[in-house]
Amino acid sequence: MIRTQSFTPFDGQKPGTSGLRKKTRVFMQPHYLEAFVQAIFAAIGGAAGKTFVIGGDGRFYNDRAVQIILRMAAAQGASRAIVGQGGLLSTPAASHLIRLNKTDGGIILSASHNPGGVEEDFGIKFNMANGGPAPEAVTEAMYAATKTQTEYTTLEAADLDLNRIGTVSLGDMVVQIVDPVADYASLMESLFDFPAMRARFAAGFTMRFDAMCAITGPYARDILENRLGAAKGTVTHGTPLPDFGGMHPDPNPTWAHELMDEMMGPAAPDFGAASDGDGDRNMVVGRGAYVSPSDSLAVLAANAHLAPGYAAGLKGIARSMPTSAAADRVAQAMGLACFETPTGWKFFGNLLDAGRCTICGEESFGTGSDHVREKDGLWAVLLWLNILAVRGQSVAEILAEHWAKYGRNYYSRHDFEAIESAKADAMMAALRAKLASLPGTQVQGMQIKAADDFAYTDPVDGSVSQNQGVRIIFADDSRIVYRLSGTGTQGATLRVYLERYQPGPEGLHLDPQEALAPIIAAAHDLAQITPHTGRSAPDVIT
Ligand code: VG1
Ligand code: CO
């Protein structure tokens, strides 16, 4: 039986960088999730006759949310839903299933790298038929719908048993419960040289993969341990838990410190990696050698042709604006087009669909390619493994050769978390107000060449996105970028991105914080971070 439920619209259901993210308890209020799901359906012209992929990263409330969405989709005439067993799907696997099954899109439940649990974060986002995050025009339509809609329909029905693979029905809707890993693992086999990687593991290559009690555990175990023959136990924290076992599933040196300690210690394996809550991020570390995400993008782009799926070469490289220009140097050397987009994977979709680029990346531990329309943590790890297997060198050697050839873009991001929103907004407003007067002036002995607020015109559809981050560029192309996070759920998070290019051959092996010291000081001077926010040091440095 179909039931119509009325409700009062909720404030603030505005999707951010990647979907709607709030405290889990906010989502658990009666009708809150339903109101947003209704807005998704409104923004895409209704659910009737459509097929959707549905799944999430297994965090607290994932199981309830999947059932709620299934009942609403069934009530509103959706013809089919493809759901990962147990309601689980990594973000890249969901993107792949959308494309593979030519569905009308997918609903992904995740707050990604944010902690999970009843007191932590939950999230939801919609991906389009191309497998990629809804573009801004669609997320804006969702937000508009959340302000006006006052009712939704749902089916009066019991929960489905999502643990059994197979096909069941819910009202008139067919629900296919699928193995979350199988199709994704086949896709990886089609892209990479599994025999070469298997041979390398058989010859004694060692690895640690920290799944951080999040969604990639089952994927990594199947691919690394079962298919590639890495030693059992290579994958740690491999069982997805609703609260990620209390871990903060953000793969960076701060939150993946267990992995970092092992990789920098005396008994380090050859290669280490970690991924985030929903499996789209990656951190890679060699024995004693941390790889910054911007460098990782550049190394992967320069070496991708060593993997069978990319042997024909790349069409182009795209990076988010705050990501370092290391990838640009590779693009230039290889004669490839290079694109600079705003932060967030949704901006890569058009470029990938139009065949203008093959590999994309963000400084925030995100790398991916045209195999799906999301960043893909395990994909990046496997491409690294493929490159390591073919080149037969260590991560440290590959990095050193890369810097010797292209020079090094020293890079760091400083995050100041949970600042009072009004203070962060005032700081950004004051900074924006003085941008026009900065070029030609000096700070910390460095000359400012340009200062602006990044705006992006999509080269494919011409859409314009304003206010995507304040950039200060110095005479030697060193750079500071300031932006406020669009994924946090508490106050404001200020991200300060710092970059300086060192052409070499000298000075290629400094500590990035030392190499960037004058830029860091300039960043504080220019934005008056401490006077505005009361903070003198960042909470997280990556
Ligand atoms: C952050 C990152 C951004 C990334 C986004 C989603 O956004 O900076 O690069 O695309 O998270 O990643 P923000 O607005 O907080 O800076 V994930 O792994 O949450 O899907
Ligand atoms: Co993520």
Side-chain angles (χ1 to χ4, degrees), residues 18 21 57 59 91-92 110-114 125 249 251 275-281 364-365 374-375:
S18 179
R21 292 188 193 175
D57 65 10
R59 70 181 60 222
T91 289
S110 171
S112 190
H113 57 285
N114 299 13
K125 69 171 179 170
S275 60
D276 72 332
D278 63 332
D280 57 359
R281 294 187 179 204
S364 54
F365 300 84
E374 286 279 4
K375 54 189 185 272

Side-chain angles (χ1 to χ4, degrees), residues 381-521:
V381 172
L382 291 168
L383 181 49
W384 262 101
L385 277 173
N386 195 144
I387 293 165
L388 290 166
V390 173
R391 289 185 53 167
Q393 292 169 295
S394 70
V395 172
E397 285 164 346
I398 288 176
L399 267 184
E401 277 185 24
H402 188 92
W403 292 332
K405 179 167 179 188
Y406 297 99
R408 179 172 178 184
N409 288 72
Y410 281 102
Y411 188 83
S412 184
R413 183 176 103 183
H414 289 196
D415 288 342
F416 301 78
E417 296 178 342
I419 302 171
E420 236 175 87
S421 293
K423 292 183 177 171
D425 290 341
M427 192 208 88
M428 290 300 287
L431 184 58
R432 288 193 160 103
K434 69 176 182 188
L435 286 180
S437 68
L438 290 176
T441 62
Q442 297 245 333
V443 56
Q444 294 283 329
M446 300 178 301
Q447 169 104 9
I448 297 176
K449 182 166 81 176
D452 69 359
D453 196 345
F454 181 61
Y456 177 65
T457 303
D458 186 303
V460 179
D461 67 14
S463 58
V464 177
S465 304
Q466 308 274 5
N467 305 322
Q468 297 297 319
V470 167
R471 302 190 285 193
I472 312 283
I473 300 165
F474 295 95
D476 69 347
D477 283 331
S478 293
R479 192 173 74 139
I480 305 168
V481 175
Y482 303 85
R483 46 180 294 284
L484 298 183
S485 158
T487 59
T489 58
Q490 217 178 340
T493 292
L494 166 67
R495 305 202 194 284
V496 183
Y497 309 80
L498 309 139
E499 178 175 359
R500 179 168 81 78
Y501 179 61
Q502 175 64 253
E506 302 303 317
L508 293 176
H509 295 272
L510 305 175
D511 172 346
Q513 301 308 315
E514 281 166 29
L516 293 165
I519 319 266
I520 295 169

